[in-house]
Amino acid sequence: MAVFPEQRMSILTLGVSDMDAACAFYSDVLGLTPFLTEGITMYDMGGFVFGLWEREKLHEDIGMMGNSCPPGTCPNFAIAYNARSIAEVDEIFGRLRERKVEIAKEPHKADWGGYSGYFVDPEGNAWEVAYNPHWGLTKEGHVTLSKEGTA
């Protein structure tokens, strides 16, 4: 069985050193309109979410601060797979453990109201697996910003 029940990703979050400059670039230069700008900035990309977050906060969330990665080597982005339930998050992490994948942060209740954990690939790239009770997923796995019309 595959680790992910569906072949997709939900969110790509970039860790940035200057939120104001990054937001200005993506909003003013590229013309993207954010739907969330409180602490993290997120853009709806038509069923996929693109986010900007302060680099240090991203590293802390991944669990890769201090001794877990040498200075300058922590990833500056995270890919997220939004699961359909807390149980699905736990099932995915169970399959990751069976395959001896490095878990950077065990699944836990997150301060934003969801449930998430992180693992890293052999190159150290971070993946978050999360259940977000505030968003929905369509039958095809596309993120919706409301629970209406979700499968």
Side-chain angles (χ1 to χ4, degrees):
M1 172 179 257
V3 169
F4 292 135
E6 302 168 65
Q7 185 172 313
R8 61 178 169 78
M9 59 186 217
S10 307
I11 305 169
L12 175 64
T13 303
L14 297 182
V16 299
S17 59
D18 185 335
M19 279 293 288
D20 291 336
C23 290
F25 176 80
Y26 287 101
S27 296
D28 300 340
V29 176
L30 297 185
L32 303 181
T33 303
F35 68 86
L36 179 67
T37 58
E38 297 172 21
I40 188 169
T41 299
M42 293 191 156
Y43 303 89
D44 181 353
M45 304 299 286
F48 174 83
V49 175
F50 172 66
L52 301 173
W53 201 11
E54 291 177 33
R55 186 173 295 144
E56 293 79 20
K57 289 181 180 178
L58 176 65
H59 291 169
E60 183 179 331
D61 197 53
I62 295 170
M64 301 188 89
M65 296 296 290
N67 295 331
S68 56
C69 61
T73 64
C74 286
N76 291 324
F77 68 92
I79 302 165
Y81 179 94
N82 273 29
R84 296 182 185 275
S85 67
I86 290 172
E88 188 175 82
V89 172
D90 288 336
E91 290 167 11
I92 290 168
F93 273 87
R95 290 192 285 272
L96 290 166
R97 283 186 208 92
E98 288 172 2
R99 290 167 171 81
K100 310 267 190 271
V101 173
E102 180 184 346
I103 307 299
K105 192 172 194 178
E106 290 290 338
H108 63 284
K109 183 170 173 54
D111 59 3
W112 47 267
Y115 185 74
S116 75
Y118 284 90
F119 70 92
V120 293
D121 72 10
E123 293 291 320
N125 298 304
W127 277 83
E128 179 183 24
V129 179
Y131 169 68
N132 186 335
H134 309 293
W135 294 352
L137 292 171
T138 65
K139 181 177 72 171
E140 297 80 18
H142 298 166
V143 172
T144 63
L145 303 179
S146 73
K147 297 296 279 182
E148 295 178 25
T150 60

